[in-house]
């Protein structure tokens, strides 16, 4: 049934340094933003709210919306390829349980490893799972955006409020100063 069992709390035997992150653009103006949702309730609504705000306030020009059909499996290769070929940055979410938080972090790091800046949104209740996956993937201290738990129970106005609360941090994670700027 399972090809492998992963213990997100295990520590790799050999780790020399954290995986380098993709170079960040100075701003999101004119950029194409990928929105990678999972099947958790309100994940797509949250990413849509974030996308609207990125367009209105930061000039994001286009969006590539994709949904992975498993909250626990890694992002499928075809979706990863689409996102990395079509997008300048990617927003991943939402980690709103233990396994989907770990999976979201793994997805964000897969996007980063492919050379595209990513930010992951997880609820605060599952920080331990998210951090453990970042460590397991060789990126201790990986920065992601934390929102209050739960997201799934919120109505449309509540989801919009959460997106508003973390917008600046999302932009901060996706963009950088001139030291790490992408062309």
């Amino acid at each position: 049934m399972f090809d492998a069992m992963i213990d997100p709390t295990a520590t790799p035997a050999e780790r020399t340094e954290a995986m380098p992150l993709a170079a960040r653009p100075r701003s999101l103006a004119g950029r194409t933003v990928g929105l990678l949702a999972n099947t958790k309730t309100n994940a797509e609504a949250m990413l849509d709210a974030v996308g609207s705000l990125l367009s209105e306030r930061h000039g994001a020009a286009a969006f590539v919306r994709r949904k992975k059909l498993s909250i626990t499996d890694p992002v499928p290769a075809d979706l990863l390829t689409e996102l990395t070929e079509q997008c300048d940055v990617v927003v991943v979410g939402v980690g709103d349980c233990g396994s989907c938080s770990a999976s979201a972090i793994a997805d964000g790091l897969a996007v980063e490893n492919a050379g595209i800046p990513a930010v992951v949104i997880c609820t605060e209740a599952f920080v331990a799972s998210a951090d453990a996956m970042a460590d397991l993937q060789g990126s201790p201290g990986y920065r992601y955006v934390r929102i209050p738990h739960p997201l799934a129970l919120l109505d449309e106005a509540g989801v919009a409020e959460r997106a508003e609360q973390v917008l600046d941090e999302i932009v901060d994670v996706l963009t950088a100063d001139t030291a790490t700027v992408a062309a």
Side-chain angles (χ1 to χ4, degrees), residues 132-144:
M133 182 54 78
D135 288 350
L136 182 66
Q137 295 287 318
S139 290
Y142 178 66
R143 186 171 171 207
Y144 56 94

Side-chain angles (χ1 to χ4, degrees), residues 40-156:
K40 292 297 290 188
T41 301
N42 281 335
E44 288 177 293
M46 178 69 176
L47 294 184
D48 285 344
V50 166
S52 292
L53 292 169
L54 291 174
S55 178
E56 293 167 16
R57 298 186 189 164
H58 296 278
F63 295 90
V64 176
R65 289 172 169 82
R66 296 294 180 264
K67 181 178 181 178
K68 61 182 243 182
L69 300 178
S70 169
I71 62 170
T72 57
D73 293 337
V75 59
D78 59 330
L79 289 183
L80 181 61
T81 298
E82 284 181 48
L83 291 168
T84 58
E85 288 179 354
Q86 298 176 28
C87 302
D88 298 302
V89 298
V90 175
V91 182
V92 179
V94 171
D96 199 26
C97 71
S99 55
C100 69
S101 294
S103 182
I105 294 294
D107 293 343
L109 289 169
V111 172
E112 292 275 357
N113 194 40
I116 303 298
V119 61
V120 178
I121 302 170
C122 289
T123 62
E124 293 169 342
F126 299 100
V127 167
S129 177
D131 289 347
M133 182 54 78
D135 288 350
L136 182 66
Q137 295 287 318
S139 290
Y142 178 66
R143 186 171 171 207
Y144 56 94
V145 173
R146 300 168 186 182
I147 60 174
H149 182 77
L151 179 68
L153 302 178
L154 299 179
D155 61 11
E156 185 177 341

